[in-house]
Amino acid sequence: MTSDIPLFFIVTGEPSGDVLGARLMAALKRATGGRIRFMGVGGESMAAEGLESLLDQSELAVMGLVEVIPRIPRVLAIIRSLTDRIVQESPVALITVDSWGFTGRLQRSVAKASPSVRRIHYVAPMVWAWKETRAKTVARTVQALLCLLPNEPSWFRPYGLECCHVGHPVVGSGADRGDGALFRAQHNIAPDSPVLCVLPGSRHSETSRLLPVLKDVVTSLVAKSPDLVVVVPTVATVSAMVAETVKGWPARVVLVRGEQDRYAAFAASTAAVAASGTVTLELAMANVPHCIIYRVAPLTAWIFRRLTRLRFVNLINIVRDCEIVPELLQEKCVSERIAPVVQALLYDPSQREAQRLEFAQSLRYLAGGDGDPADRAAAAVLEFSGVGNPVP
């Protein structure tokens, strides 16, 4: 009977969390020999692992303090609806993945409505970069926390929160195993043609701001290198918008969807330009030299700069405490600044090699030890939720 198989309610608010959630789901299935059920909210990666999402994840994929304000009534309605469903289904545990602004509110709602459901959060909020007092709020909200970075548990344990360092699951993602030669052959790209991978983001708020800038960047690059091929991996939340927009670009553009095709595109690429986010770690795994870009509403940027102590936003740069991956953010996020950086990455082998050397050292730090970080996360979830012993 399915009622004998433990049910886990897993929720993520954006595509990067969808990727992490999918890897956790796969690891949980391995650990339990498949005797596990899932319900919740996710995207196409979690759907591939068997999740039937209760709502379209694009409703939650909003970035920025100002940008989220118009969506607040809808987000609160979603939290009420999900809480009611969790009370009805009575899962063993609620696992939320990243997106603490949304998932933290869901966890607090469930704590009041159904205290017997174990509350686990995956990806610690970056209290060390923002407000230390937030650690206390997290500890009051959830019962267990899975951290990606080795320094993070020490911020939460003083408040009595069970937490452990599991490592970053991107390290075990397979992003480094794409077949670039096959990808080029399938898409009729010559072995010696320069290929630029363009990743404009996974939220409408990102793509609407970044795609016009990226078109200008591509226009500038193609004027100097007419043989440049542009590859654009995209995701379900923005795929239609991206496909329509790139029709007007002055270069040959190859659109791809899905994790495996994305990794193959990485392997075929000479360099990349990407919206800041988890995907940039995948690029590092795939050894693709890149720069990051991002732009939010001016007020959001102003608030962010006054709240954070971070010098950098890219995780590779944070780990190395220097700018390995060029960051072209906000005022710098213009084609006149971006195009020369991308041009150098495409055509200067020494710049590409310098990045690759730093990638290797950073990824060893982020791995968190031997084995797959997703498997460590799954073992921690099963322990925290009290669901027997994993299958050997």
Side-chain angles (χ1 to χ4, degrees):
M1 293 178 61
T2 57
S3 59
D4 295 329
I5 302 175
L7 172 66
F8 286 79
F9 207 98
I10 182 166
V11 175
T12 182
E14 57 182 312
S16 61
D18 173 54
V19 172
L20 303 187
R23 287 173 192 142
L24 177 60
M25 289 172 64
L28 284 166
K29 288 192 288 187
R30 288 193 297 270
T32 60
R35 288 187 57 80
I36 190 168
R37 293 181 294 143
F38 299 106
M39 182 178 289
V41 178
E44 56 190 352
S45 295
M46 289 167 67
E49 293 297 336
L51 181 78
E52 291 188 18
S53 185
L54 298 176
L55 60 92
D56 187 336
Q57 192 184 49
S58 65
E59 291 197 63
L60 301 171
V62 181
M63 181 67 176
L65 301 171
V66 174
E67 291 83 347
V68 78
I69 291 173
R71 305 290 294 277
I72 288 175
R74 176 58 182 154
V75 169
L76 293 177
I78 288 170
I79 288 172
R80 288 193 295 270
S81 175
L82 290 176
T83 300
D84 290 344
R85 190 62 181 268
I86 291 168
V87 171
Q88 176 187 333
E89 299 291 343
S90 190
V92 170
L94 166 63
I95 306 168
T96 50
V97 185
D98 208 357
S99 304
W100 181 253
F102 166 71
T103 58
R105 286 173 172 80
L106 177 62
Q107 289 279 12
R108 283 192 288 275
S109 177
V110 171
K112 294 176 182 177
S114 187
S116 63
V117 174
R118 292 285 288 172
R119 301 184 308 281
I120 302 169
H121 187 68
Y122 187 21
V123 184
M126 296 171 67
V127 298
W128 44 273
W130 293 82
K131 294 187 295 184
E132 296 177 24
T133 54
R134 201 179 190 189
K136 190 174 183 179
T137 302
V138 175
R140 285 199 303 255
T141 303
V142 298
Q143 296 164 306
L145 180 65
L146 311 184
C147 302
L148 304 190
L149 303 180
N151 67 312
E152 291 177 325
S154 62
W155 289 92
F156 299 93
R157 284 179 179 147
Y159 300 104
L161 179 60
E162 284 192 79
C163 52
C164 62
H165 168 227
V166 296
H168 204 298
V170 166
V171 177
S173 67
D176 55 339
R177 295 195 289 272
D179 191 330
L182 179 61
F183 183 91
R184 284 177 176 252
Q186 289 173 334
H187 294 281
N188 296 314
I189 302 171
D192 58 346
S193 289
V195 174
L196 176 66
C197 187
V198 172
L199 296 132
S202 57
R203 307 175 180 95
H204 284 281
S205 58
E206 294 171 336
T207 53
S208 63
R209 284 193 170 95
L210 298 181
L211 282 169
V213 176
L214 288 165
K215 178 184 178 180
D216 290 343
V217 170
V218 169
T219 300
S220 174
L221 294 170
V222 169
K224 299 176 182 177
S225 307
D227 61 336
L228 180 69
V229 177
V230 177
V231 177
V232 184
T234 187
V235 294
T237 49
V238 295
S239 59
M241 177 189 183
V242 171
E244 184 62 29
T245 301
V246 300
K247 287 179 182 178
W249 286 17
R252 184 186 167 204
V253 178
V254 178
L255 275 170
V256 297
R257 278 273 303 276
E259 186 176 88
Q260 295 309 310
D261 284 345
R262 181 169 75 250
Y263 294 163
F266 290 171
S269 296
T270 313
V273 53
S276 177
T278 302
V279 73
T280 62
L281 272 187
E282 292 186 337
L283 288 169
M285 275 292 296
N287 239 357
V288 182
H290 60 280
C291 65
I292 65 165
I293 63 174
Y294 213 77
R295 187 188 286 173
V296 293
L299 180 57
T300 297
W302 183 85
I303 295 170
F304 174 86
R305 287 166 174 165
R306 278 149 184 79
L307 289 179
T308 186
R309 293 174 294 187
L310 286 174
R311 294 175 58 209
F312 308 106
V313 301
N314 180 270
L315 194 51
I316 295 289
N317 295 343
I318 292 170
V319 167
R320 304 302 293 165
D321 196 30
C322 60
E323 193 176 79
I324 306 303
V325 176
E327 298 186 358
L328 297 146
L329 313 174
Q330 209 58 17
E331 298 85 359
K332 296 179 182 178
C333 187
V334 292
S335 61
E336 294 81 4
R337 299 287 294 269
I338 300 167
V341 174
V342 177
Q343 177 83 15
L345 290 172
L346 282 168
Y347 300 105
D348 184 343
S350 65
Q351 290 212 23
R352 295 198 297 273
E353 186 57 28
Q355 276 201 20
R356 287 171 177 147
L357 289 172
E358 296 290 347
F359 290 164
Q361 295 184 56
S362 301
L363 291 166
R364 279 195 295 272
Y365 174 83
L366 292 170
D370 296 329
D372 189 333
D375 288 330
R376 290 196 291 274
V381 164
L382 293 174
E383 179 182 349
F384 287 143
S385 57
V387 179
N389 294 318
V391 173

